[in-house]
Structure formats: C-alpha cells, structure tokens
Amino acid sequence: EVRMVESGGGLVQPGGSLRLSCRASGFTFSSYAMSWVRQAPGKGLEWVSAVNSGGSNPIYVDSVKGRFTISKDNAMNKLYLQMNNLKPEDTAVYYCAKRRTLGYSEVYYPREYDYWGQGTQVTVSS
C-alpha cells in the first residue's frame, strides 16, 4: 500500500521558516520523481516544486524561487521542503505527491501524480 505522510507545518510569522517532511512507503521511492503541491484557502491546487528520482535537478514555481528548497533522501524514503522568508501568500495546505510514471516531464501538472499525502497546514501570519 502506497502511503505518504507529511509533517512540519504550523503557524509562522512573515519572514520565518519551516521545514516540511514527507515519509513515503509502499513503493520504490528512489524510482520516482516527487513534488510538493499546495492548495490555498478557496483556491485550486498549485504545483510548487519537483525533484527527480535521484534527488537532483530541482525545479520551482516562480513565486518560491530563491526561498524554498526541495530535497529527496532515497535512503530514508523522505522528501523535504525547506521554506524560508515565508510570506502570507504561502499560506496553504501542502501535499507531497508521487509522480504517476517514471521520468521527469510535465511535472508541473497535478494530473501527473497518482498518490498524495494527507497534507500539512502552513499558515503565515503576524
């Protein structure tokens, strides 16, 4: 059974930092690209960042470039998102997601992912 469990969310002031973690099980974690996707209140899913199966070649949505860092630990089956200089517009539920197929194309689209965690809430507010 594929399972992914996020943790690390919380309430933080603007300019603060959080580190999200996602523990994966039930599939060969090292074979798949992974992403973080978020959903702000009242809005649709927004892809945030992806990393390839080996944990390299990270890519980011423009709004988080220079502030967020994605990483993948294949030995521990864990995905991370280091978020610095957080802004109120980063407030959302953050999900880790497993890519549906092997490879690293069209990673920007939520439809490319077949398993998701339950999400962790990030709230940026003073």
Side-chain angles (χ1 to χ4, degrees):
E1 177 190 4
V2 173
R3 189 165 184 236
M4 291 180 294
V5 180
E6 300 96 336
S7 60
L11 173 63
V12 63
Q13 293 186 342
S17 297
L18 285 172
R19 189 191 193 208
L20 306 184
S21 298
C22 171
R23 180 186 302 274
S25 61
F27 65 101
T28 306
F29 185 72
S30 59
S31 293
Y32 290 89
M34 298 287 294
S35 277
W36 288 97
V37 180
R38 66 186 178 186
Q39 186 166 28
K43 297 190 176 180
L45 292 171
E46 178 188 33
W47 171 84
V48 175
S49 180
V51 66
N52 69 12
S53 59
S56 59
N57 196 19
I59 50 177
Y60 303 93
V61 67
D62 285 348
S63 60
V64 309
K65 282 181 181 176
R67 300 188 298 121
F68 290 12
T69 302
I70 190 171
S71 59
K72 189 175 189 273
D73 185 340
N74 284 336
M76 297 295 292
N77 282 11
K78 296 190 80 170
L79 181 73
Y80 301 99
L81 187 67
Q82 177 67 43
M83 306 186 295
N84 298 329
N85 191 21
L86 282 159
K87 304 177 180 181
E89 51 264 42
D90 295 318
T91 294
V93 177
Y94 284 72
Y95 301 91
C96 63
K98 168 193 167 290
R99 195 159 189 277
R100 185 180 305 276
T101 59
L102 302 179
Y104 199 47
S105 61
E106 298 188 330
V107 295
Y108 320 104
Y109 303 109
R111 68 172 185 255
E112 293 297 320
Y113 300 89
D114 57 357
Y115 287 96
W116 303 68
Q118 84 290 348
T120 186
Q121 175 71 49
V122 172
T123 302
V124 185
S125 175
S126 55

